[in-house]
Amino acid sequence: MNKLFLVVFLILVSPAFSQQSEVLSKLDSKADFYGDIARQIWANPELGYLETNSSALLQKTLSDAGFKVTSGVADIPTAFVAEYGSGKPVIGIMAEFDALPGVSQKAVPFREPVVEGGAGHACGHHLFGAASVAAGITVMEWMKANQISGTIRVYGTPAEEGGGGKVYMARAGLISDVDAMLHWHPSSQNAAGATSSLANISTKFRFYGEASHAAAAPERGKSALDAVESMNFMVNLMREHVPMETRMHYVITRGGEAPNVVPAFAESYHYVRHPDAQVVKEIFDRMVKAAEGAALGTQTRMEYEIINGVYNLLPNETLARIMHKNLELVGGVNYTPEERKFAEDIIKTFPSGVKASPEDATKIAPFLVEEKGGGGSTDVGDISWLVPTVGLGAATWVPGTSAHTWQAVAAGGMSIGQKGMLVAAKTLTLTAMDIFQNPSVTQTALDELNRRRGADFTYEALVGDRSAPLDYRK
C-alpha cells in the first residue's frame, strides 16, 4: 500500500516538479541576457520620471518576447503595462527602474564615483526591473507551453524614489482587476515574510520674502531663509512630542544665492514617516502649522507642495507563505572566490558595529509576520491596500550593506548583483505559477486583505488629486 501510494504521489507531482525544473533551467540559461539588460540600466542611471532609456529597454524586451505593451499610462511618459493572455486570474509583477541622485559609483569595493555628484542605482532598481521582466517573460512562455489560462502583466512603475509612480497608476484604475500583485526588492539578505513598511508624506515648503542688501539695508529685507530655518527649528522641537516610531528628515534645497543678499526665496524638502498612514497625516498637519508660524514670524509668504505620499505596506500572509516556500526552493546566493574577496573588501568599509559575513548571502531568513513596519517607505504600500500583494528581498548586495549607499551601487554593478537578481526572478516565476495552478488562493488572499484593511476602508491617495510630479527631479 505504501509503495502504491508513493507511485500515485509521484505521478501526480512529477509534472509540477518537471515544470519547475524547466523554468529554473531556462532562467539560468538566460542569466547573462537579463544581466546585460540590468547592466545597461546601471550604466545609464536615470532619475524618477526621467527614465526614458531604461523604460524603453524594458518595454522592447517585453514586446520582443510577445507581450502587448501599452506605454505612457496614467499620463506618465515612462510608465507602461505589458500584458499576455486573457481572463482570470490576473497576476501582476511590478518593475522599477529609477536611480538616485548623488551616489554615482564604479563596480569596485572602494569609493570611486563614475561621475562626481552623479546619479547611481543605490537601491538596485536596475536589477528590480530586469528580474521582473525576466519573470514575466518566463511565466508567459510557461503559460504558452502548458496552455495555462489567465493573464500575466508586467507593470513598469517609474519614480519609486520619492515620485510615487504606482500611486498614480493605481488611481488611474490600472490595477483594479488584479488578483495578486508580485514584487521584490534588492537587499543584503534573502527574505520573503509578510512584512510592512512606513507610510510617508514628502513635501516641499517654499517661502517668499523680499530681497535687500544684507549690510546696507537689512531692515528692508524679509528673509525667506529665516522662515525655512524657523520652520525647521520648530519641526525639530516636535521630535519630542511625536510617537517614537516617527521619522522626520529634511534638506534645505534652496537657501539663497549670496550672503550679502537677503534671500527672497528659500525652500526645504521634508519627509514624515510612521507605520500608520493616519498618524502620518496628523503629524503632517502639525508640520504645516509650523510652516505657517514661521511665515508669520518672519513676515514672509509660504506655500507647500505635496510631492509624494504613500501608505504603509499591508502584509498578506496567504501569499507570503507561498513566496517563502519558493524562495527556500530556489536558495540563496553562492559566491565565487573572486566575489567573496569583493564582499570581504566591502565589509571592511562598514562601521565597526556592523556584523556581516559573505556566507550570509546563502541563507534564507526565517518566515515572519510583521504588522508594524520600520525602515523605509515604498509606493508598493498603496498597491497593497488595493489588491493582495506579496514581495521578497534578494541578496543582490553584500550582507550588511545599507540601501542608498555606494556599496549598494558597487555590488549591483557586478556579478553579485546579477546572482541576487536571478534568485528574485526565479522566486517570482514559481510564485506566479503556483497561483495560476491554484487560483482559489487569490480569494483567500483577498479575504485576508479585507480583514486587515477593515470593512469601512476607502482608498484616498495621500497625494490628493494632484498629477504626477514629473519634474520633481529636474
Side-chain angles (χ1 to χ4, degrees):
M1 181 63 72
N2 288 339
K3 289 183 179 180
L4 178 61
F5 174 80
L6 179 60
V7 170
V8 172
F9 175 76
L10 290 174
I11 291 173
L12 290 173
V13 302
S14 58
F17 278 117
S18 175
Q19 290 177 21
Q20 286 181 341
S21 176
E22 184 178 340
V23 298
L24 295 180
S25 296
K26 182 170 289 188
L27 280 165
D28 282 329
S29 70
K30 301 278 282 186
D32 289 340
F33 173 77
Y34 292 115
D36 182 63
I37 290 172
R39 279 190 294 275
Q40 289 184 57
I41 298 174
W42 180 89
N44 181 28
E46 297 173 300
L47 301 178
Y49 294 129
L50 306 174
E51 321 97 322
T52 305
N53 295 317
S54 304
S55 178
L57 177 59
L58 297 179
Q59 290 183 55
K60 184 179 186 304
T61 305
L62 289 159
S63 179
D64 289 349
F67 276 82
K68 176 187 174 182
V69 180
T70 304
S71 59
V73 296
D75 296 323
I76 301 173
T78 54
F80 65 85
V81 179
E83 181 175 277
Y84 169 80
S86 61
K88 293 285 192 174
V90 179
I91 298 176
I93 302 175
M94 292 186 286
E96 298 175 7
F97 36 86
D98 62 317
L100 282 159
V103 281
S104 174
Q105 170 66 27
K106 294 181 180 179
V108 293
F110 50 87
R111 184 72 173 110
E112 186 175 351
V114 177
V115 178
E116 193 68 47
H121 275 284
C123 218
H125 292 177
H126 64 299
L127 301 166
F128 192 152
S132 294
V133 166
I137 291 173
T138 307
V139 171
M140 181 204 71
E141 292 172 345
W142 168 78
M143 293 173 71
K144 279 184 178 180
N146 295 278
Q147 298 181 319
I148 303 296
S149 60
T151 305
I152 181 70
R153 290 188 192 140
V154 177
Y155 287 86
T157 61
E160 187 277 335
E161 296 290 354
K166 297 179 190 66
V167 176
Y168 303 98
M169 296 176 75
R171 208 173 61 184
L174 297 173
I175 67 163
S176 58
D177 62 342
V178 171
D179 295 297
M181 186 70 83
L182 314 184
H183 70 103
W184 77 286
H185 203 282
S187 179
S188 62
Q189 65 171 346
N190 306 293
T195 58
S196 188
S197 64
L198 298 177
N200 176 24
I201 294 178
S202 62
T203 311
K204 289 185 177 180
F205 291 89
R206 302 182 178 110
F207 294 87
Y208 300 85
E210 189 168 330
S212 182
H213 196 294
E219 72 281 0
R220 295 185 183 183
K222 296 175 181 177
S223 174
L225 179 58
D226 284 354
V228 161
E229 292 187 303
S230 298
M231 177 196 171
N232 292 345
F233 181 75
M234 286 186 278
V235 168
N236 285 327
L237 290 177
M238 282 172 55
R239 297 180 190 277
E240 185 182 357
H241 309 289
V242 294
M244 63 180 296
E245 302 91 349
T246 306
R247 295 290 182 269
M248 298 187 295
H249 25 270
Y250 63 87
V251 293
I252 298 175
T253 48
R254 287 282 299 277
E257 311 305 326
N260 61 342
V261 179
V262 174
F265 176 76
E267 177 186 81
S268 58
Y269 193 1
H270 286 254
Y271 279 30
V272 56
R273 312 188 202 230
H274 188 272
D276 187 322
Q278 183 58 42
V279 175
V280 167
K281 288 192 284 186
E282 293 168 359
I283 296 171
F284 171 71
D285 288 342
R286 293 168 60 187
M287 191 176 285
V288 171
K289 291 185 184 301
E292 291 171 344
L296 182 64
T298 56
Q299 295 184 293
T300 56
R301 177 174 62 87
M302 183 275 295
E303 61 184 36
Y304 66 87
E305 179 186 7
I306 294 177
I307 301 299
N308 191 25
V310 298
Y311 280 65
N312 48 301
L313 269 171
L314 202 60
N316 195 289
E317 186 175 352
T318 302
L319 296 180
R321 289 195 177 278
I322 297 172
M323 184 165 275
H324 179 76
K325 174 206 69 172
N326 288 318
L327 177 58
E328 287 190 317
L329 177 64
V330 170
V333 176
N334 293 290
Y335 293 160
T336 64
E338 294 77 14
E339 290 164 347
R340 181 183 178 87
K341 176 64 166 58
F342 183 97
E344 290 171 344
D345 288 343
I346 286 283
I347 289 171
K348 291 175 184 175
T349 70
F350 295 161
S352 58
V354 177
K355 305 299 181 185
S357 167
E359 282 76 21
D360 294 340
T362 67
K363 301 174 183 177
I364 308 299
F367 185 83
L368 76 141
V369 179
E370 182 183 66
E371 305 287 348
K372 183 177 287 189
S377 308
T378 172
D379 54 6
V380 178
D382 288 62
I383 305 299
S384 73
W385 284 78
L386 296 169
V387 300
T389 301
V390 63
L392 77 146
T396 60
W397 306 327
V398 173
T401 299
S402 171
H404 297 197
T405 60
W406 68 262
Q407 292 95 333
V409 185
M414 49 88 70
S415 54
I416 287 176
Q418 179 175 316
K419 284 184 173 181
M421 179 191 80
L422 202 62
V423 168
K426 289 177 177 180
T427 306
L428 292 169
T429 298
L430 295 180
T431 302
M433 289 170 58
D434 281 346
I435 297 171
F436 275 120
Q437 291 174 315
N438 183 23
S440 63
V441 75
T442 62
Q443 184 58 54
T444 306
L446 180 60
D447 291 342
E448 180 181 347
L449 170 61
N450 287 329
R451 174 174 54 80
R452 287 184 181 276
R453 66 185 178 181
D456 298 329
F457 174 76
T458 300
Y459 176 69
E460 295 180 359
L462 297 180
V463 296
D465 59 0
R466 71 154 299 156
S467 57
L470 301 181
D471 61 350
Y472 86 111
R473 287 297 194 196
K474 290 183 179 178

